[in-house]
Amino acid sequence: MSILTALARAEAVESGRAQPLTTVRHTHVAERPLVLVPLSLAGEAAAPLAAIVGTDPGEPRLLVVANPRDRTQRFDFVAELARVVLSYVDGCARSVDTGAGGTKLRYAEAPQVIVPNRGGVEFVRLLGRSTRFRRPFGPYPVHRTVPILGQWLTFLRERADHPGSSMLLAMTSVLSEHWATGQSGLEDANLAALLGWIDPPGDLDGAGAAALAEDPLRSPPAGPSTDPTFDNEILAPALAAVARSIDDFARERALAALTAAVADQMRPTWDLTWQAVRLLRTRPAGASVETRWAMDRDVFTMYHMALAEGTALPQPRRDSAVAAAGRLDRLEREQARYDAQRALDDPLVMAEFRLSGEAFTGTVVAASPNRVDTSGKKAALRPHITVQTDDPVRLEPGAHLVSPARLAQQATVVSVSSVDVVLELSKGMGRSTKQPAPGSVPEVGDRVTYGPVTDAYQPPGRFPSRDDTPWTHGGPPPVIEYHASDNDAVEDWS
Amino acid sequence: MDPLVDRLDRIRGTVAPRNHNARTIAALTSNPGCGRRGLMDAAGVNKGAVAGQLGFPAGFGQSRFAIARGNAFEAQVKADGAAELLQLLRDRLGLAIPEVAYDDLSNVGGNASREVRYARTKALLARAASERDDAGTLFDHPMLRLEIAGYYAYLEPDLIAFRAGGKFHVVEIKSFAVIDGQADPGKTAAAATQSAVYVMAMRELLAELGHPPESVSHDVVLVCPENFANRPTATLVDVRKQLTVLRRQLSRLTRLESILDALPAGLSFDLAYDSDQQATRPADELRKAVSTIDARYSPDCLGTCEMAFFCRDESAGSTSALGRSVRDDLGGVESIGTVLGLARGTLTPGAGQEEIAGLLRFAHKLRTECLDGIG
Amino acid sequence: MPFVSEPIHIELLERRIDRLRGELRRAATTGDRTMARALRAELRQAEHAWDDALADLEDQARPAPQPVHKPMLSIREQVHHALTLLTVPAAPKLIIAVHDAFFPGELVAARLTSLRRDEERSFRVQPFGRPYYLCPALTADLLSPARGLLALSTWPLEIRVVGPLSARVDFLIGAIKVAQRVAQLPEDAHDAQRLLWRFAASIPGAGSAGITPSSVAELAQAELDVHLEADTADRTAAASRAQERLDGSEALFGARLQRLRRTASTT
């Protein structure tokens, strides 16, 4: 949150429509995403009740558990879901990216699973956790695809923590990154209300559409939790009817009624999620979206091959303290890079940095394009420019910056006054050591923006080795490497 | 009669005060700055009914699946003399093997009235607190009470009070899962606050018997199912912080005089029920009455207070309706109209608004500059 | 509905059901209980009508439903078996588990609820007309029915009254009895073994892997030795009090508080 977003929310209230927070789309939208709308049974840790899943808005695949508390039926459901998800994942690994160059293999596609909200992401985590340790043999055997689905769901859930990754998306989060509504962030967690502000149906304004979306009867919750009155008045009798059906005919009828009831709850969310996908596709993609998606595809390629070869790292129940600290450090650096990339792609994101004084826009008032620095062993072309700006610059001499218009060129702050900034430029000026290539150095009168460097080298945090884990963090983990064991597989599940 | 209680009775009207339970008492701490809520709760007003009459019914409900699951888990943990719970307390808290005495206080010889049960709870806990160690270990379904603004609220925790090492502990049984050592933070926090209500009520009971507050531990035992099984696991939760907040909030409820003094004398939220139990109080009259007390709406209220939808409607156009953080980002400026006026330069900043006005103008300039020409 | 054909009738019913569902949920949301109750009844009626209409429509010779296999034993006999095995008062859940683990047939939980009342009524009509009655255990302090604990009338009062330690003592005795019975069964009696594990999980030292029925019994006995003396003293004292104060039906079904108060004031 910042004053820019806050102001955008105020504007949204006044105009009755959500206001853009970006000028481009920063999230990759796959050609064939897999949309998953899950429902779970209230009161249980991870009891799936139903799901709609599929890659085609016109062909939702509906899965229902007739008795969510029954272990066998639960895993039958998971096996069904595994069929859909695994065939989708394998489909992404069918062709190789030939344009990538280099020696590294990269698949042309990666899975992109879209769930309606953060609750859906948590569902993916819990379902992954509860299935990846199952075994197709031994006590309580499951279909062989169940633990594989568990590994993929765990993988996807882990990727969702990485800023800029688009393999598992909560639609409400993606939309909130791109639009500000005239309601609170808490209320934005309701997909129907959020979309109501962004893309209201008919003659409604945002507030009117959001009000309708809050009525669980008109607009069922996007899951995984169901509306309590739906549970009490519709679902409970429907489940009971299945349970007490005395013959196949009765059972079939009861199942049909149950299926229709849950389909009614999920179908609107399915449609809304696809509506949001279409909406996102109408926005032009930011310049670095493709770079980040390529990173997703790299990670996917590696994991897919590792799973096939049986060399995939285990997914323990909990990270060791050192692993967790290292992971946090990595995520923080990825966040900084993601923020900087978006700023360079999008002046409205750059505006956030300008507000905080880490970036500025202004007019070049003086330039010495042919300035040569002779202090080193070899003379080097180091032009200076002076940029006059009204922005409240908070930068120190020596800071490295880059301009969205000249990504290959590095700028270093020489001095900052209340009205202007002097920058020294290097790189991106052609081969000559005496004279920059034409147009490569901003000229007097040019309007320029400088902001934070995307890949500024930040040394990775230093952490003790596993064996030196301080006692405050549980001491060194046991020497035995983590392996999924039979013990995991027989973990009770009721 | 206590004039304060009398006044609150008149504000509530002809119905009996709404029964508090640990959940509603815990909810008192969620927006302590709200005068409207404080007054309505102190008077025991049925906020849900008032909101409904105002045309803003609150959709609070609990799924029967969640309730059934909760009951089943509790029954399981307490089955056969709380066999599973005993095992947990032995493993985790080192409860000694001879400590197995189990007293069921849910019903006294076929009489389940609150007063009788409270008296029996008091008698048994008194014996346990003052006598030897073998005077009882587990007390199931004790009946406790807490004074809320002049009225006793009876609390019937689905819990076991458990005594070991000269101290009572509150055992709270909840059916949300602890998976790989982690539980839903929201649910854990709610359980901690509710447990704190019980700790407080137990302390009050023992204080009447002359025992110091430390005789009830601030560490409560939270029992939840582990991972995806029904096997219970126990965690100690320190509720000192929740106790402090609760104590402060409850004492505020009895210091309402200043709020009350500012209110019109005839103020009442009575819904004027007719013989068919239909509310007949005209909505606009009720609205006027409710509006005489200031609310402090924030979107968090939507999950905790029955009045929230009404208050949200009332605060339309204010920055606080957008959330506390948005309001803070906007420098605490109250009205959205003012924010936009300052940002566009059509309003002259008032005293103390110069800085935020400057920032808003800059933000507005940036947004216009960047979005110019973009649909 | 003679004027509409079946398919249309069904469609009308479906629309009606949809509408009723919507109204019902609306009423439930706004907390209008009276309305919700009425709508719920109406909805169930419509659903039944729908069921019937569909059944007519299917008009298929469906196989006659399998006659429900009637248990050979009455429910009181089933409960009697389970309690006789345990030898101590037990909660309905445990009774069901024991029955299902060791005896043929299924004990229907729903029917247990009315059992106690039926037994008491039968006793009042014709005292001691039956060889045994299923009755509640009695609390040691008030000699009133203990919540959710069933006992056999033929047991001595010392067993039928329960004090603060009795729940644990009876649990351990039950564990020993179950262990002894499991020891006599073949290894593949999974239900019985699962029941034993459930006991074992709450007995110190017995929850570990590779435990045998006889070691469960030994460990249960070891803990039992800790509590037994005090519990027996409690129960014997309570039993002699009961002997003095309770007569006929009360000695089996427990004293009510009102009467107890009267007793207390006259003594």
Side-chain angles (χ1 to χ4, degrees):
Chain A
M1 273 301 182
S2 73
I3 191 166
L4 267 182
T5 358
L7 179 61
R9 281 195 189 271
E11 288 171 358
V13 172
E14 187 195 46
S15 64
R17 284 293 281 262
Q19 295 298 310
L21 290 174
T22 66
T23 62
V24 291
R25 166 167 53 79
H26 296 284
T27 306
H28 176 78
V29 180
E31 220 166 281
R32 237 178 112 250
L34 184 81
V35 168
L36 169 67
V37 178
L39 290 186
S40 57
L41 190 72
E44 308 282 327
L49 166 67
I52 294 192
V53 60
T55 54
D56 181 341
E59 275 184 40
R61 179 81 197 278
L62 180 68
L63 309 173
V64 181
V65 192
N67 179 0
R69 293 198 199 87
D70 180 284
R71 183 190 177 97
T72 314
Q73 293 193 29
R74 208 183 276 192
F75 281 113
D76 287 348
F77 166 91
V78 176
E80 287 265 316
L81 183 64
R83 244 199 1 224
V84 180
V85 173
L86 296 182
S87 101
Y88 172 69
V89 167
D90 286 334
C92 294
R94 218 162 279 151
S95 55
V96 171
D97 186 351
T98 46
T103 51
K104 212 160 67 174
L105 178 79
R106 177 193 284 165
Y107 292 135
E109 268 307 318
Q112 179 173 66
V113 177
I114 301 180
V115 292
N117 49 29
R118 302 287 314 162
V121 174
E122 179 65 4
F123 180 91
V124 167
R125 179 181 83 85
L126 285 175
L127 195 63
R129 165 63 181 83
S130 65
T131 52
R132 70 178 189 259
F133 298 124
R134 304 291 113 194
R135 295 284 182 87
F137 45 80
Y140 307 120
V142 294
H143 193 267
R144 57 165 199 85
T145 53
V146 168
I148 305 176
L149 176 73
Q151 285 171 307
W152 276 112
L153 294 183
T154 305
F155 165 82
L156 288 169
R157 172 61 191 87
E158 200 281 327
R159 282 303 294 168
D161 282 343
H162 292 264
S165 169
S166 303
M167 276 203 263
L168 173 61
L169 297 174
M171 189 47 94
T172 48
S173 307
V174 178
L175 293 177
S176 300
E177 255 187 62
H178 291 87
W179 282 277
T181 66
Q183 59 184 5
S184 69
L186 201 94
E187 290 154 306
D188 283 349
N190 176 343
L191 177 64
L194 176 57
L195 258 179
W197 276 99
I198 299 171
D199 192 10
D203 312 329
L204 288 172
D205 69 350
L212 285 187
E214 277 183 352
D215 180 350
L217 266 67
R218 282 168 187 271
S219 173
S225 305
T226 44
D227 177 56
T229 70
F230 168 76
D231 282 7
N232 299 344
E233 307 298 343
I234 312 292
L235 183 59
L239 288 174
V242 176
R244 59 158 197 267
S245 49
I246 45 165
D247 56 34
D248 289 350
F249 292 99
R251 185 175 161 79
E252 213 167 285
R253 282 216 314 266
L255 272 177
L258 169 68
T259 308
V262 292
D264 275 357
Q265 291 297 297
M266 294 187 292
R267 191 58 202 253
T269 305
W270 167 268
D271 292 337
L272 286 172
T273 310
W274 283 107
Q275 181 193 342
V277 168
R278 280 192 301 275
L279 194 69
L280 285 168
R281 280 189 176 134
T282 62
R283 314 284 315 259
S288 60
V289 166
E290 183 48 40
T291 318
R292 289 192 294 274
W293 183 239
M295 168 69 96
D296 273 337
R297 285 185 289 139
D298 276 341
V299 177
F300 166 64
T301 307
M302 281 191 292
Y303 192 68
H304 190 268
M305 295 204 294
L307 267 190
E309 291 160 8
T311 54
L313 289 173
Q315 298 165 321
R317 294 169 183 225
R318 291 170 88 166
D319 279 344
S320 70
V322 171
R327 181 169 180 275
L328 265 184
D329 178 64
R330 255 192 325 277
L331 293 181
E332 264 173 37
R333 280 181 291 126
E334 284 177 13
Q335 182 70 50
R337 187 188 324 146
Y338 179 51
D339 290 344
Q341 281 179 342
R342 280 185 308 144
L344 291 176
D345 289 356
D346 184 342
L348 202 45
V349 179
M350 185 64 90
E352 298 275 6
F353 288 91
R354 289 172 63 188
L355 254 167
S356 61
E358 296 164 81
F360 60 91
T361 294
T363 310
V364 180
V365 289
S368 43
N370 297 326
R371 179 179 171 275
V372 172
D373 182 352
T374 50
S375 60
K377 269 188 234 156
K378 237 169 73 181
L381 191 59
R382 292 286 182 267
H384 275 191
I385 58 171
T386 304
V387 184
Q388 194 179 58
T389 177
D390 297 335
D391 292 1
V393 181
R394 277 187 209 97
L395 288 164
E396 298 293 323
H400 293 300
L401 299 175
V402 69
S403 165
R406 296 177 173 77
L407 289 173
Q409 194 167 75
Q410 196 185 331
T412 309
V413 176
V414 178
S415 66
V416 182
S417 80
S418 59
V419 289
D420 58 28
V421 182
V422 178
L423 297 173
E424 178 175 302
L425 306 177
S426 58
K427 295 188 193 153
M429 289 175 285
R431 297 196 161 274
S432 163
T433 53
K434 300 233 167 69
Q435 211 171 325
S440 65
V441 170
E443 290 165 23
V444 172
D446 281 1
R447 198 152 169 79
V448 290
T449 296
Y450 281 89
V453 181
T454 57
D455 285 306
Y457 176 73
Q458 293 173 324
R462 291 168 55 106
F463 297 98
S465 73
R466 283 167 56 97
D467 295 340
D468 297 327
T469 307
W471 66 268
T472 47
H473 294 69
V479 196
I480 314 142
E481 283 295 310
Y482 182 81
H483 289 295
S485 69
D486 280 342
N487 226 9
D488 289 322
V490 298
E491 175 178 273
D492 281 354
W493 189 353
S494 32
Chain B
M1 186 152 194
D2 183 342
L4 171 69
V5 173
D6 189 43
R7 181 81 198 272
L8 291 176
D9 279 349
R10 272 185 288 129
I11 286 175
R12 186 181 61 252
T14 46
V15 287
R18 189 165 166 267
N19 261 335
H20 272 291
N21 55 41
R23 188 152 5 128
T24 59
I25 295 174
L28 296 177
T29 61
S30 58
N31 187 1
C34 179
R36 177 177 295 166
R37 182 197 182 126
L39 180 66
M40 291 180 105
D41 281 334
V45 171
N46 183 342
K47 300 199 295 289
V50 169
Q53 187 69 5
L54 289 168
F56 293 91
F60 286 104
Q62 225 188 334
S63 164
R64 67 159 77 176
F65 299 114
I67 296 170
R69 163 81 171 139
N71 292 343
F73 182 69
E74 186 201 334
Q76 175 204 326
V77 172
K78 289 183 181 176
D80 307 317
E84 290 192 354
L85 179 63
L86 265 182
Q87 187 60 26
L88 276 177
L89 296 177
R90 287 171 174 179
D91 282 355
R92 298 289 166 82
L93 296 175
L95 184 66
I97 297 287
E99 304 279 331
V100 297
Y102 169 89
D103 285 287
D104 183 356
L105 302 169
S106 64
N107 167 319
V108 183
N111 187 330
S113 95
R114 299 186 305 190
E115 289 75 13
V116 171
R117 287 181 52 198
Y118 176 71
R120 182 163 160 79
T121 299
K122 198 165 168 181
L124 281 196
L125 293 188
R127 200 173 73 194
S130 55
E131 280 184 28
R132 315 160 308 263
D133 261 0
D134 62 347
T137 302
L138 300 173
F139 302 93
D140 193 0
H141 284 117
M143 178 64 86
L144 305 171
R145 68 180 194 192
L146 209 54
E147 196 185 322
I148 308 281
Y151 279 95
Y152 283 120
Y154 281 89
L155 304 169
E156 188 173 5
D158 286 334
L159 65 71
I160 287 187
F162 129 78
R163 182 176 152 84
K167 256 186 191 202
F168 286 100
H169 289 259
V170 162
V171 179
E172 177 86 319
I173 301 169
K174 290 282 175 192
S175 65
F176 59 82
V178 176
I179 293 167
D180 299 337
Q182 287 174 319
D184 182 321
K187 288 177 180 162
T188 313
T193 311
Q194 285 179 35
S195 306
V197 174
Y198 298 139
V199 170
M200 196 168 189
M202 254 182 101
R203 284 184 172 175
E204 212 156 275
L205 183 149
L206 287 164
E208 285 178 32
L209 298 165
H211 297 283
E214 308 85 69
S215 54
V216 181
S217 170
H218 55 248
D219 283 329
V220 301
V221 182
L222 182 60
V223 175
C224 295
E226 187 167 29
N227 297 339
F228 303 98
N230 281 329
R231 201 183 312 125
T233 180
T235 321
L236 277 185
V237 182
D238 181 342
V239 299
R240 262 176 293 189
K241 204 183 83 205
Q242 287 84 349
L243 279 170
T244 313
V245 176
L246 259 178
R247 211 173 294 125
R248 193 174 57 225
Q249 188 54 13
L250 288 184
S251 66
R252 276 173 94 121
L253 286 184
T254 51
R255 284 190 273 109
L256 288 164
E257 283 90 348
S258 57
I259 299 183
L260 286 168
D261 286 348
L263 296 177
L267 178 75
S268 166
F269 301 142
D270 192 16
L271 296 182
Y273 285 105
D274 64 12
S275 52
D276 294 334
Q277 288 305 304
Q278 297 293 319
T280 62
R281 182 93 183 261
D284 49 342
E285 195 188 303
L286 185 61
R287 171 185 280 269
K288 239 177 259 160
V290 170
S291 304
T292 48
I293 321 153
D294 283 339
R296 188 186 280 185
Y297 170 77
S298 98
D300 297 324
C301 298
L302 293 169
T304 53
C305 180
E306 293 92 335
M307 291 297 294
F309 287 92
F310 173 78
C311 301
R312 180 177 71 173
D313 185 66
E314 190 186 48
S315 63
S318 82
T319 53
S320 49
L322 300 177
R324 293 226 166 97
S325 68
V326 174
R327 198 190 132 107
D328 292 348
D329 284 335
L330 295 171
V333 175
E334 187 55 54
S335 130
I336 287 173
T338 312
V339 166
L340 292 172
L342 292 174
R344 290 165 186 160
T346 54
L347 263 184
T348 319
Q353 283 184 336
E354 294 84 359
E355 193 192 338
I356 185 65
L359 276 171
L360 279 169
R361 275 198 304 275
F362 185 37
H364 177 68
K365 185 191 108 178
L366 288 172
R367 279 189 62 80
T368 326
E369 197 178 294
C370 297
L371 287 167
D372 227 14
I374 292 174
Chain C
M1 280 215 184
F3 303 114
V4 248
S5 70
E6 270 317 323
I8 295 178
H9 180 196
I10 286 186
E11 211 170 286
L12 287 175
L13 273 172
E14 280 174 353
R15 253 182 260 160
R16 197 163 110 80
I17 288 173
D18 282 348
R19 182 179 54 78
L20 283 169
R21 280 183 178 159
E23 288 174 12
L24 172 55
R25 288 182 62 200
R26 175 76 62 206
T29 309
T30 53
D32 188 341
R33 295 218 182 123
T34 327
M35 178 68 103
R37 206 173 304 125
L39 286 168
R40 215 171 277 135
E42 207 179 327
L43 176 61
R44 298 296 165 256
Q45 222 169 23
E47 282 171 343
H48 284 147
W50 183 82
D51 266 355
D52 293 345
L54 202 66
D56 289 349
L57 186 67
E58 276 171 350
D59 195 31
Q60 298 181 37
R62 40 163 95 187
Q66 291 288 315
V68 179
H69 200 71
K70 276 249 166 89
M72 302 299 286
L73 295 172
S74 71
I75 183 155
R76 59 191 307 269
E77 286 171 302
Q78 290 178 312
V79 173
H80 183 257
H81 280 169
L83 283 174
T84 305
L85 189 152
L86 286 168
T87 72
V88 285
K93 260 205 159 137
L94 181 59
I95 291 174
I96 293 170
V98 168
H99 178 273
D100 291 354
F102 295 107
F103 301 102
E106 197 187 343
L107 208 169
V108 185
R111 294 175 55 205
L112 264 177
T113 42
S114 58
L115 191 62
R116 227 183 71 184
R117 222 177 29 243
D118 294 347
E119 293 280 304
E120 190 167 354
R121 199 176 303 128
S122 158
F123 182 88
R124 285 188 199 289
V125 172
Q126 195 193 354
F128 299 107
R130 293 177 170 179
Y132 63 85
Y133 291 89
L134 305 173
C135 51
L138 306 181
T139 59
D141 49 357
L142 298 172
L143 302 175
S144 58
R147 196 170 53 118
L149 280 180
L150 281 175
L152 290 180
S153 63
T154 48
W155 288 343
L157 263 169
E158 291 81 14
I159 294 181
R160 287 193 286 118
V161 291
V162 289
L165 300 174
S166 306
R168 187 62 187 169
V169 162
D170 292 350
F171 172 81
L172 293 167
I173 293 176
I176 294 169
K177 298 298 174 188
V178 166
Q180 287 168 347
R181 183 60 79 95
V182 170
Q184 299 162 7
L185 294 178
E187 294 242 319
D188 61 349
H190 294 303
D191 284 354
Q193 273 171 355
R194 212 165 296 138
L195 176 65
L196 182 60
W197 291 336
R198 252 182 49 198
F199 273 102
S202 304
I203 297 170
S208 45
I211 202 87
T212 63
S214 62
S215 51
V216 173
E218 276 165 32
L219 289 162
Q221 184 66 49
E223 192 191 325
L224 184 58
D225 291 342
V226 177
H227 314 305
L228 196 58
E229 198 181 327
D231 183 53
T232 310
D234 277 356
R235 285 171 122 164
T236 314
S240 64
R241 251 186 314 125
Q243 219 99 49
E244 278 168 34
R245 294 189 193 171
L246 305 183
D247 59 356
S249 107
E250 279 192 344
L252 293 186
F253 297 100
R256 296 285 157 192
L257 193 62
Q258 290 74 10
R259 186 176 137 66
L260 207 85
R261 278 206 182 119
R262 226 178 324 132
T263 321
S265 60
T266 51
T267 47

